[in-house]
Amino acid sequence: MEGKNKRLAVLVGCNYPNTPNELHGCINDVLAMKETLVKRFGFDDSNIELLTDEPKSSPSTMPTGANIKQALSNMVDRAESGDVLYFHYSGHGTRIPSMKYGHLFRHEEAIVPCDFNLITDLDLRQVVNQIPEGSSLTILSDSCHSGGLIDKEKEQIGPSKLEEQKNGTLKQIHNNKPKIIPYELIFQHLSSLTNINTTDIGTHLLEFFGSEASMLFRLPLHDLDLFQPLKPDEGILLSGCQSDETSADMSPNMSNGKAYGAFSNAVQIVLKENNGKLSNREVVMKARDLLQRQGFEQHPCLYCSDENADDVFLLQS
């Protein structure tokens, strides 16, 4: 990359402290990634925005739905051709019933910010569509149901591209928690906030969050397909698991007392064990192999264009 090209990042870690949904390793995940971005990939600390729900976080740095989308929007607005953009999310994911007519899988993937203002695959598709030509946006999502989190991105490594070889895999007992909040619990929480008698989650989100709610619920149904990619784009998704799987959050008493997300940690190990350049495909495949050896039942996936699948991860120079 040319020296004039910027490297911009938004890192989001949601531990949901003091709630029934509490996780332990998500903030550690993004702090570790921030160090890696600076030391290995040439990111300037001033170009990395960190949003976490640690107790001392200010309202502006809390990972609410509005703050996350604003941070992504700010990053895209700053981007120019040739820039490298990166979004790392570690936290809960969920699946919601699809609002699209004829949708094959009848559900949509979403991440769950600390305030439950869901960010859906359509929102991330909109972000990818807005990046300048010649730049790239890599998204690493260490969350449940994260496969396919960029709407309509091409599957390179996933359930329909690889036949899993499970023979000889040893199942291990891990002290972990799945990084998922079931749709039913999200619906119950939002219903308690609005006190509206409806089974439509979009109504609750719009009532409570207004214009800050996901575009999925603000657009008329017939407009949802306006965000289809017309050609191969520069969006790259590394997901912690397939769309029907869960990702693991490891408890603090593992790994010398440090909590972490299984996929984020696997990527860190892969990068440390391979000093040279790795393609996006190699990062995902090596993380898959490592998680399988460790006994995890989650399978990281890769969604991007054919060219980007074999391009260097974060365009390491």
Side-chain angles (χ1 to χ4, degrees):
M1 297 294 292
E2 296 289 338
K4 64 180 181 180
N5 296 136
K6 298 186 297 297
R7 292 172 171 264
L8 310 172
V10 173
L11 311 180
V12 176
C14 294
N15 276 346
Y16 318 89
N18 304 314
T19 73
N21 308 300
E22 185 169 12
L23 299 172
H24 299 286
C26 299
I27 295 177
N28 289 339
D29 289 341
V30 294
L31 291 177
M33 195 63 193
K34 181 179 181 180
E35 182 177 359
T36 300
L37 292 178
V38 172
K39 292 184 176 180
R40 176 161 179 170
F41 293 100
F43 283 69
D44 190 295
D45 186 79
S46 63
N47 286 333
I48 300 175
E49 184 163 1
L50 184 66
L51 303 177
T52 70
D53 55 3
E54 62 177 349
K56 62 181 181 181
S57 292
S58 67
S60 64
T61 60
M62 285 289 288
T64 63
N67 284 348
I68 295 171
K69 286 191 283 188
Q70 187 61 56
L72 291 173
S73 178
N74 292 343
M75 178 171 65
V76 171
D77 287 344
R78 290 185 58 197
E80 300 171 294
S81 180
D83 289 350
V84 176
L85 282 59
Y86 180 69
F87 173 43
H88 191 125
Y89 172 78
S90 184
H92 281 303
T94 194
R95 290 200 294 184
I96 56 179
S98 177
M99 301 174 64
K100 301 176 188 176
Y101 295 121
H103 194 279
L104 179 62
F105 300 108
R106 293 177 290 185
H107 61 253
E108 309 285 348
E109 291 77 31
I111 58 176
V112 187
C114 65
D115 62 349
F116 280 45
N117 185 9
L118 301 179
I119 296 177
T120 68
D121 53 359
L122 188 70
D123 297 314
L124 295 179
R125 161 51 56 196
Q126 182 197 26
V127 173
V128 170
N129 286 357
Q130 292 177 338
I131 63 175
E133 185 176 356
S135 62
S136 64
L137 171 60
T138 300
I139 298 176
L140 191 155
S141 186
D142 191 351
S143 59
C144 294
H145 303 309
S146 48
L149 199 53
I150 301 178
D151 191 40
K152 297 183 177 68
E153 197 66 69
K154 183 177 180 180
E155 177 189 302
Q156 298 289 342
I157 300 173
S160 66
K161 295 293 185 183
L162 288 178
E163 182 177 347
E164 298 302 331
Q165 298 177 349
K166 297 184 178 180
N167 294 334
T169 300
L170 296 177
K171 292 185 179 180
Q172 299 179 12
I173 298 176
H174 291 293
N175 189 9
N176 68 65
K177 182 176 183 178
K179 302 171 83 167
I180 178 176
I181 302 179
Y183 169 77
E184 293 75 17
L185 294 182
I186 293 174
F187 182 85
Q188 291 172 12
H189 174 73
L190 294 172
S191 299
S192 70
L193 296 177
T194 64
N195 292 316
I196 297 176
N197 184 19
T198 177
T199 59
D200 177 33
I201 192 171
T203 299
H204 296 293
L205 287 162
L206 289 169
E207 173 67 20
F208 197 76
F209 296 108
S211 62
E212 294 178 347
S214 170
M215 183 171 294
L216 179 66
F217 309 108
R218 290 188 285 113
L219 281 179
L221 287 177
H222 60 270
D223 288 340
L224 292 181
D225 283 332
L226 294 178
F227 292 92
Q228 293 186 64
L230 300 179
K231 58 184 179 180
D233 56 58
E234 298 305 317
I236 303 164
L237 171 66
L238 289 75
S239 66
C241 62
Q242 298 175 176
S243 61
D244 61 347
E245 292 181 330
T246 60
S247 292
D249 179 70
M250 304 305 296
S251 294
N253 61 345
M254 305 295 289
S255 185
N256 298 320
K258 186 175 182 180
Y260 59 86
F263 179 52
S264 292
N265 185 63
V267 170
Q268 288 290 338
I269 293 174
V270 167
L271 293 175
K272 288 177 182 178
E273 291 181 347
N274 298 269
N275 294 324
K277 298 177 182 179
L278 292 172
S279 69
N280 291 303
R281 187 188 306 275
E282 287 172 325
V283 170
V284 172
M285 288 304 301
K286 288 179 182 296
R288 265 194 177 221
D289 293 341
L290 177 59
L291 289 171
Q292 186 175 32
R293 294 196 304 271
Q294 292 174 334
F296 289 100
E297 295 184 352
Q298 65 185 79
H299 302 87
C301 300
L302 176 64
Y303 296 82
C304 61
S305 67
D306 295 339
E307 181 179 356
N308 282 331
D310 295 310
D311 213 341
V312 176
F313 178 63
L314 294 182
L315 296 181
Q316 179 182 353
S317 58

